[in-house]
Amino acid sequence: MNHEQPDDWDPRSPAVLLDQRRAYDEMRERCPVAHSAFLGWSLFRHADVSAAVADPQALSNVARFPVIPNSMDPPVHGPYQEALAAFFDQEHMARLEPRIREIAANLLRPLHAAGEADFIAAFATPFALQSLCAFLGWPDRQWKCLAGWVHGNQEAAFNQDPVAGKALAELFAEHVRANLDSHRAAPAPAGDATDGLLRTEVERKTFSDDEIIGVLRNWAAGHGTVAAGLGLVVLHLAQNAELQYRLRHAPALIPAAIEEILRADDPLVANRRTTTRELEIQGRTIPKGDTVTLMWIAANRDPRVFDDPDRVNIERNTEASLVWGQGIHLCMGAPLARLEMRVALEELLACTTGIELVGAPPQRAVYPGDGLAALSLRIRGEPASSSERA
């Protein structure tokens, strides 16, 4: 990176972190290609972000710690993407749905009993990571290890702490290897995703343990974003009684509501690329080898693409949304993430008559996330029986 390049903004300043969406919206209009020592060159406009993800030859996705297939460029990326996409097909999702619904119901019962709770700690985080454990065939209790890794990674990224990042990577690798050994020692395959990864081949070679670790870095980090996204969706419902009522009585609208709320309030701030050659974007010259940060939140709120972008309109056409990325690195786990959030909302709305904010104001997370660190809710209504929900 060219360290002599002056900074246009400070992404870690208190003013930015106080309200990331507002700050990124302002940067999109004032300085759509902005330099900072922390993020390199940040792109804020939808057209620029879309063009960047469409050109992997000019903007490489290779990362320090392999995240398969996200940190791969063509032509290496393609075979891994194809092999792993099969884990998220309709058949796998349909088979997993009853277990995910059971996890949601089990976590909702104590929320009803308490009446008030921090939704992030009591439901969103354990739900997302227990669902990942179910998908992988890992014991439910291991969600806490995954939660620690996700949170630690976010802190290391914010603090630019390579020592902590390396230690977390090694700890995660040890955890994955233990689960791989357990699956190998089992008398018969369980048919879960971990078994599938042990049998997956790319170009006639089965995955090494290191490659599986790289795959699971991607899936685990993605589930941290699922938890953040679920918290944001529930926050918006708690703030909008009319929309909450509408979805409770017309649950078929839940998928569209999820897409639109996350467009307006994306839980993932950004992803990074590295230039493979000198680029010019919006009149600014970006040298070869520099970091380019794609600001998903600002792009998804760009008024050049979305009319009245701050307003949640579940009838909006969200085809241009970048919530799940775009191009060859479109989130392959999106079917699972969508399934988890849909099921969670279906269960939550079916067994309540009201969800409202209570106590301390919602506490926002900061870069690299834009979810919630805490969300205090009051739950009204008695839990519905399974027959009533059916």
Side-chain angles (χ1 to χ4, degrees):
M1 182 180 291
N2 181 2
H3 293 285
E4 296 181 359
Q5 174 68 40
D7 283 359
D8 299 304
W9 70 311
D10 179 5
R12 293 187 291 183
S13 73
V16 169
L17 298 180
L18 181 65
D19 189 342
Q20 291 185 111
R21 287 189 300 163
R22 176 197 56 77
Y24 302 150
D25 285 348
E26 289 179 357
M27 290 300 297
R28 185 187 57 239
E29 306 308 316
R30 178 176 68 82
C31 187
V33 180
H35 185 271
S36 67
F38 180 53
L39 294 181
W41 298 90
S42 295
L43 309 184
F44 294 91
R45 291 189 179 171
H46 190 284
D48 296 331
V49 172
S50 293
V53 297
D55 192 359
Q57 291 186 335
L59 289 144
S60 171
N61 214 34
V62 173
R64 179 181 179 188
F65 296 112
V67 178
I68 297 173
N70 282 20
S71 66
M72 294 173 162
D73 292 334
V76 176
H77 171 272
Y80 284 88
Q81 174 82 14
E82 183 178 355
L84 293 168
F87 285 82
F88 302 97
D89 63 18
Q90 288 185 353
E91 181 182 349
H92 283 83
M93 297 301 96
R95 192 182 310 140
L96 190 63
E97 181 169 342
R99 175 61 184 134
I100 291 178
R101 200 170 292 279
E102 181 184 21
I103 291 169
N106 289 341
L107 289 168
L108 284 170
R109 276 192 285 273
L111 282 185
H112 274 288
E116 296 180 6
D118 175 5
F119 182 77
I120 305 304
F123 186 90
T125 299
F127 169 76
L129 295 174
Q130 284 182 33
S131 295
L132 176 59
C133 287
F135 178 61
L136 295 175
W138 293 6
D140 284 350
R141 65 181 181 276
Q142 294 190 4
W143 77 266
K144 293 183 179 180
C145 298
L146 294 173
W149 179 80
V150 169
H151 179 70
N153 256 354
Q154 291 175 339
E155 283 195 343
F158 182 79
N159 294 320
Q160 290 187 319
D161 187 343
V163 175
K166 182 179 179 181
L168 285 162
E170 291 173 350
L171 182 63
F172 183 77
E174 289 177 11
H175 190 63
V176 173
R177 290 183 197 279
N179 278 283
L180 295 181
D181 289 343
S182 175
H183 274 69
R184 289 189 182 105
D192 51 48
T194 300
D195 283 333
L197 288 171
L198 287 167
R199 296 192 306 271
T200 297
E201 293 185 359
V202 172
E203 297 179 344
R204 299 184 180 181
K205 293 182 180 178
T206 56
F207 281 167
S208 67
D209 284 7
D210 284 343
E211 286 177 317
I212 294 176
I213 290 164
V215 170
L216 295 184
R217 280 197 194 101
N218 189 18
W219 294 358
H223 273 72
T225 307
V226 169
L230 183 56
L232 290 172
V233 171
V234 172
L235 168 64
H236 280 263
L237 294 185
Q239 293 174 325
N240 188 334
E242 180 181 349
L243 179 57
Q244 188 183 142
Y245 178 89
R246 190 177 177 191
L247 297 184
R248 186 173 280 111
H249 292 84
L253 297 175
I254 287 174
I258 291 170
E259 298 294 324
E260 168 64 357
I261 291 171
L262 297 186
R263 178 208 60 79
D265 202 351
D266 197 327
L268 180 62
V269 174
N271 286 125
R272 298 190 183 194
R273 303 288 192 270
T274 303
T275 55
T276 62
R277 57 180 172 83
E278 183 178 279
L279 299 176
E280 183 171 323
I281 304 176
Q282 295 284 348
R284 305 206 64 175
T285 300
I286 303 177
K288 176 182 177 180
D290 272 18
T291 296
V292 173
T293 304
L294 313 178
M295 306 298 289
W296 304 117
I297 295 178
N300 276 327
R301 296 165 54 82
D302 191 335
R304 296 159 189 81
V305 178
F306 303 102
D307 292 333
D308 195 8
D310 199 43
R311 183 170 68 92
V312 170
N313 171 16
I314 67 172
E315 276 78 33
R316 187 193 301 274
N317 184 336
T318 57
E319 287 184 4
S321 171
L322 300 173
V323 166
W324 308 102
Q326 197 178 72
I328 66 169
H329 292 295
L330 182 72
C331 177
M332 73 163 57
L336 178 55
R338 285 173 166 136
L339 169 65
E340 290 169 357
M341 286 193 280
R342 172 178 63 78
V343 167
L345 287 185
E346 286 173 352
E347 291 293 308
L348 176 62
L349 293 174
C351 68
T352 60
T353 58
I355 307 162
E356 57 193 37
L357 299 177
V358 66
Q363 181 183 344
R364 283 271 177 171
V366 295
Y367 183 92
D370 185 47
L372 297 165
L375 175 61
S376 296
L377 294 182
R378 176 178 292 125
I379 307 294
R380 290 188 283 108
E382 293 298 321
S385 69
S386 58
S387 61
E388 289 173 324
R389 288 200 301 271

